[in-house]
Amino acid sequence: MEFFLKDITWFLCIMLLLPALCTSQDAFVSSRATYYGSPDCYGTPTGACGFGEYGRKINDGQVTAVSGLWRNGTGCGACYQVRCKVPQHCSSDGVTAAVTDYGEGDRTDFIFSARAYAKLATNPASSEVLFASGVVEIEYRRIPCKFSGNNIVFKVHEHSKYPQYLAIVIQDVAGVNDITAVEVWQEDCQQWRPMRRAYGAVWDLPTPPMGSLSLRFQVCGSAEVKWVQANKVIPADWKAGAAYQSDIQLN
């Protein structure tokens, strides 16, 4: 009985805390940031989130790698407002950057693409000062992602092999929302089959159901935890590398 009561107490604590863990971050947190180089100053197509080419130019290439904010890949796609603290050289608004990769720096929470890092500065001359310093003191907070006119897209990962193995990446998720679980509908068994988080934002499933696929995903949002369903969003003849737009979007 004591063990049972402890279990119930632990469950209730988790349920009470979960909405708080999902809320947007109003207060700024102090940290440090640096940047990584690339030939065109955009992101990298080999990021640990699994976004591929999408991860290079999402948010106009203003992207970042994170470590403490990675959260086992749940942090992929999250958006943050970041402002640096170098007097006379940092803009008041800073940069809004999307998480597309994992990376560890010298006590840094953010490793920006060059395009994102430059946005911290007030002007080109100040940008040169920030790049010369390499690492800057910053403050950050999580903010809603915005994708003008885009609904959520389900990208079939290039490593998928029709029809034996399916991996997907969920893209263009607006608002302050984390995808914490994904399931696919198995029509012949009349049940939802859980997909596995393979790595980053990539979810996979061996021997997926035949026919067009309906998916549902668990969203940890700014106010609640809920399931969102996308009916027959992936066609029966899906192809590796193809992206399928849904008719849904989150706030």
Side-chain angles (χ1 to χ4, degrees), residues 75-227:
C76 288
C79 296
Y80 292 89
Q81 180 187 8
V82 184
R83 306 186 299 205
C84 65
K85 299 180 180 180
V86 182
Q88 301 177 347
H89 294 293
C90 296
S91 69
S92 57
D93 291 332
V95 63
T96 295
V99 175
T100 59
D101 200 359
Y102 177 89
E104 297 182 14
D106 179 16
R107 294 178 288 118
T108 60
D109 272 311
F110 297 89
I111 305 178
F112 290 115
S113 67
R115 290 178 69 87
Y117 195 76
K119 284 286 187 178
L120 293 171
T122 55
N123 53 55
S126 292
S127 176
E128 292 181 8
V129 173
L130 299 186
F131 277 106
S133 67
V135 178
V136 293
E137 300 293 324
I138 57 101
E139 59 182 9
Y140 72 89
R141 64 178 179 178
R142 186 168 181 184
I143 61 174
C145 293
K146 297 180 180 179
F147 300 98
S148 178
N150 290 339
N151 287 331
I152 292 175
V153 172
F154 295 88
K155 166 75 177 296
V156 178
H157 196 275
E158 288 80 359
H159 291 167
S160 299
K161 294 182 180 179
Y162 181 86
Q164 296 92 355
Y165 172 74
L166 173 66
I168 64 168
V169 185
I170 304 176
Q171 300 176 151
D172 292 345
V173 178
V176 182
N177 295 290
D178 293 334
I179 305 301
T180 54
V182 181
E183 297 180 342
V184 61
W185 178 249
Q186 180 93 32
E187 182 67 30
D188 54 353
C189 298
Q190 292 290 292
Q191 67 179 10
W192 290 99
R193 288 178 58 188
M195 300 187 77
R196 175 184 70 112
R197 186 189 293 277
Y199 65 92
V202 180
W203 300 82
D204 68 354
L205 181 71
T207 61
M210 301 299 292
S212 57
L213 301 178
S214 295
L215 301 173
R216 71 174 184 178
F217 50 98
Q218 189 179 58
V219 179
C220 184
S222 58
E224 60 180 337
V225 178
K226 62 182 179 181
W227 285 93

